[in-house]
Amino acid sequence: MSFANFSFTNTDRTDDQIFNTNLKLTVLDEMGNPVEGATIKLYENEEDYNASENHIKEVFKTDKRGRVTIKDLDAEKYFVNVEKGDLNNYMTGNIVGPLENAKLNKANIIIN
């Protein structure tokens, strides 16, 4: 006589997981078309944004669908600068947030 003894443990406990605060930006032109290759910089405050200095993280580029995901952010508000050639988001609402902690936050940025 033979038998098998199986023991199952669930290692997917949600209280052991760490969720990061991320931001998915979609960059669109004024016609609503995605903008590939746009440069994105995030700033923690308006002074740095206005002076175009001390951006956080790195400089990001949008993919062919005009999207980029920026990971491991604080649940704060951010000033966003987007440029591609002569197109930019100056004077069109540059603040994103405050972000929700431990979530994938989403925002669209229009450049013209």
Side-chain angles (χ1 to χ4, degrees), residues 53-112:
E53 46 186 49
N54 302 319
H55 64 274
I56 64 166
K57 300 271 185 182
E58 60 205 61
V59 176
F60 298 92
K61 293 265 188 188
T62 56
D63 64 14
K64 65 182 179 181
R65 297 187 320 197
R67 296 179 183 166
V68 65
T69 300
I70 304 168
K71 299 180 178 181
D72 300 324
L73 294 170
D74 293 328
E76 303 290 333
K77 70 178 180 181
Y78 293 93
F79 293 80
V80 182
N81 179 21
V82 182
E83 298 177 328
K84 181 169 183 187
D86 292 338
L87 302 176
N88 60 61
N89 68 323
Y90 304 151
M91 310 300 281
T92 60
N94 304 305
I95 301 172
V96 175
L99 304 182
E100 288 188 58
N101 191 40
K103 302 247 180 179
L104 175 60
N105 297 265
K106 298 177 184 179
N108 292 339
I109 304 287
I110 308 296
I111 61 175
N112 53 33

Side-chain angles (χ1 to χ4, degrees), residues 11-69:
T11 59
D12 294 329
R13 295 179 44 187
T14 56
D15 57 348
D16 290 341
Q17 294 178 353
I18 298 174
F19 297 100
N20 295 321
T21 303
N22 301 323
L23 175 61
K24 179 184 273 186
L25 292 173
T26 302
V27 177
L28 306 166
D29 65 17
E30 59 189 13
M31 299 296 291
N33 299 309
V35 179
E36 179 180 2
T39 301
I40 299 173
K41 295 178 185 175
L42 290 184
Y43 299 89
E44 291 181 318
N45 60 62
E46 190 171 10
E47 294 77 27
D48 286 345
Y49 170 79
N50 288 333
S52 294
E53 46 186 49
N54 302 319
H55 64 274
I56 64 166
K57 300 271 185 182
E58 60 205 61
V59 176
F60 298 92
K61 293 265 188 188
T62 56
D63 64 14
K64 65 182 179 181
R65 297 187 320 197
R67 296 179 183 166
V68 65
T69 300

